[in-house]
Amino acid sequence: MRSTVHRWSARLVLLALVLAPTASAQTRPPGAIEPSELRDWLGFIASDELQGRQVFTEGLGLAAEYIAEHLAEWHVKPMGDAGTYFQTVKVLGVRTTSHASVTLEINGQRRTFKDGEGVTFPRKMGGTQTIRSHEVQFVGYGVQLPSAHLDDYTDVQTAGKIVVFLGQGLDVPDLSYRLLNARSRNALAKGAAATIGPVSNVRPRPKSASDAATDNGDFTTTERYDRPTAPVLTASDDFYEFLFSGSGVKYGDLKDKAARREPLPRISLANVTLTINVDADYAVVRTRFTRNVVGSIAGTDAALRDTYVAFGAHYDHIGYVEGADGPGRGVGLFSTTCPGQARDTPRPDDVINNGADDDGSGTVALMALAKAFALGPKPKSSLLFVWHSGEEAGLYGSRYYADHPIVPLNRIAAQLNIDMIGRNRCDDPAQENTVYLVGSDRISSELHNLNEDANGALARPLSLNYELNDPADPESIYTRSDHYSYASKGIPIIFYTTGLHRDYHFVTDEVSKIDFAKLARVTELVYATGARVANLGHLPARDNKGPRKGRGAGGR
């Protein structure tokens, strides 16, 4: 390990002499972001030398060292292990032995369904607990689609109840598998004690040959897996038939309606008592390590210095192309995100997914923010910068940080996350002034308004688009990047992105396609918002009103 670190450092010194600009010792204007610096830094971060920065690889280690060396040059305080900039992230493969079950009592009849026999618990079901409730709430399909004027939660209270829903939902173009998968998260966000939904008809992808040969257990995680958590279950027809047996409505009729994608009736489950018994033994069968890069800048106000504004981006990507398909794999229409657009044909010898935009753009934007705050005026509250590892593999770094925080979570005023801000969505020139915001209004209206005000005060305000914040958005962006690890702990967040394009997760996501002027402007907005939050004098109010800004919405 020691010799490997020394070898990385030696290579970094040589590369840095060529690629890294000399830091100015002079204080620069607040929020000054230099496109030329972003270009120089990204030239290394997205270079072939780093081989796509896949988690657990030398290339990702080189990127981490490169970021850390710059932080040291700017005198950003290291916040990692043993006085370094690196927080070790443990990635565990865990095997589950389940003893879990669900018991239903209906009109004097009682049945117990064991895990795998009528009901299925996730392999990571959390710590031992028993939830017994007489309040079981049926919510139809369990969907909320404001853009389609559909809301199964109208006049329904779910706080503290066990929420049950059916079917794959209504035939609405905006409805996707990801959105349907988010139904349980939506119910839990509304205070549900547990959720029970239908068995998915979408099967997981088969394992690769290398994965199949390795024992990773039943799940891989960086989170604490032994804490009680709200159960999220799926159930078979046998379970549903018994559940609805005392309701006066036949489950078969409901199932037929769901198959025809018809509206489902309101049904009372008043005579039902449901007991969920979560009980599992866990055994770690594999441990791997990766690293977050973490630094901080102290605030100037003694009373606010122990509160932080957190800035984040992920610095990993998906590595290089393996297999017989070669670099041409995936060439064709990128119809799901950019209809009618074909991917560029890569060079025959190009097998490296450089990830210039995903998330090289966020990585260097975060470097620029750290430098701007380090060499410029300091705000009242302190600032925390985290380059997360393993986002592409399953939010490894951010989930680990959220469960093993260096700065206590109750002292984080907000988390501002950056992922892909270097292009126009689908390379549309009309999007040159557009940035998409997700999550800004969900936990704190005050944070949302601070960002709106910060943008309005810029010399050239950006067009803030909230389409991807719509709960009906088919990509479910709110749950797919590192901000969600913080939001799930109740921390207000804003996610900044300029959208997907035809080079997303492909070997042609290269530095030559980055719009560095736009990258700098979006970074300036993040700087301006972060500075406002850090000078606010209090934590942004957490009113938890949920998403109100969506497709076609804008403003405060």
Side-chain angles (χ1 to χ4, degrees), residues 162 233 297 303 343 350 361:
I162 296 175
L233 315 180
I297 296 172
R343 291 193 187 272
D350 189 2
S361 60

Side-chain angles (χ1 to χ4, degrees), residues 7-31:
R7 175 160 48 89
W8 284 351
S9 297
R11 293 167 71 181
L12 281 164
V13 169
L14 293 174
L15 286 163
L17 289 174
V18 177
L19 295 170
T22 302
S24 171
Q26 297 178 352
T27 299
R28 301 185 303 173

Side-chain angles (χ1 to χ4, degrees), residues 124 189 222-229 397-405 407-413 415 443 478 482-493 542 544:
K124 187 174 71 171
T222 59
E223 297 174 281
R224 290 283 302 271
Y225 54 84
D226 55 351
R227 292 174 175 169
T229 184
S398 60
R399 284 176 170 166
Y400 186 86
Y401 185 93
D403 266 2
H404 304 84
V407 170
L409 297 183
N410 62 3
R411 296 182 184 176
I412 296 180
Q415 199 268 347
I443 299 174
Y478 182 63
D482 292 313
H483 56 273
Y484 187 65
S485 299
Y486 295 83
S488 64
K489 300 290 187 180
I491 297 171
I493 65 93
R542 304 181 183 189
N544 293 294

Side-chain angles (χ1 to χ4, degrees), residues 29-100:
I33 307 298
E34 298 295 338
S36 60
E37 287 187 329
L38 297 170
R39 183 186 298 275
D40 287 339
W41 298 335
L42 191 58
F44 177 68
I45 292 295
S47 67
D48 285 355
E49 179 76 14
L50 270 59
Q51 297 186 330
R53 308 188 307 280
Q54 191 168 24
V55 68
F56 309 126
T57 66
E58 181 183 24
L60 188 64
L62 285 167
E65 295 281 354
Y66 183 80
I67 295 165
E69 289 192 1
H70 281 80
L71 296 179
E73 186 177 0
W74 304 325
H75 303 291
V76 176
K77 181 182 177 181
M79 294 289 284
D81 306 333
T84 70
Y85 289 102
F86 308 119
Q87 179 191 34
T88 299
V89 175
K90 294 182 180 180
V91 183
L92 306 177
V94 184
R95 174 159 293 111
T96 304
T97 301
S98 175
H99 314 290

Side-chain angles (χ1 to χ4, degrees), residues 298-309 379-383 411 533-539:
T300 59
D301 190 309
L304 298 172
R305 194 172 295 148
D306 65 346
T307 62
Y308 292 78
V309 177
K380 295 177 181 179
S381 295
S382 297
L383 309 171
R411 296 182 184 176
V533 177
N535 285 313
L536 191 59
H538 62 267
L539 300 183

Side-chain angles (χ1 to χ4, degrees), residues 119-171:
V119 296
T120 302
F121 287 70
R123 297 304 84 192
K124 187 174 71 171
M125 65 183 75
T128 301
Q129 63 173 321
T130 298
I131 298 174
R132 180 180 174 85
S133 179
H134 304 288
E135 295 187 292
V136 182
Q137 179 68 56
F138 178 59
V139 292
Y141 294 112
V143 297
Q144 285 187 296
L145 300 173
S147 60
H149 306 290
L150 296 172
D151 189 351
D152 284 329
Y153 287 88
T154 301
D155 300 324
V156 172
Q157 299 298 320
T158 58
K161 299 180 181 180
I162 296 175
V163 170
V164 178
F165 52 85
L166 290 178
Q168 292 301 306
L170 297 173
D171 190 9

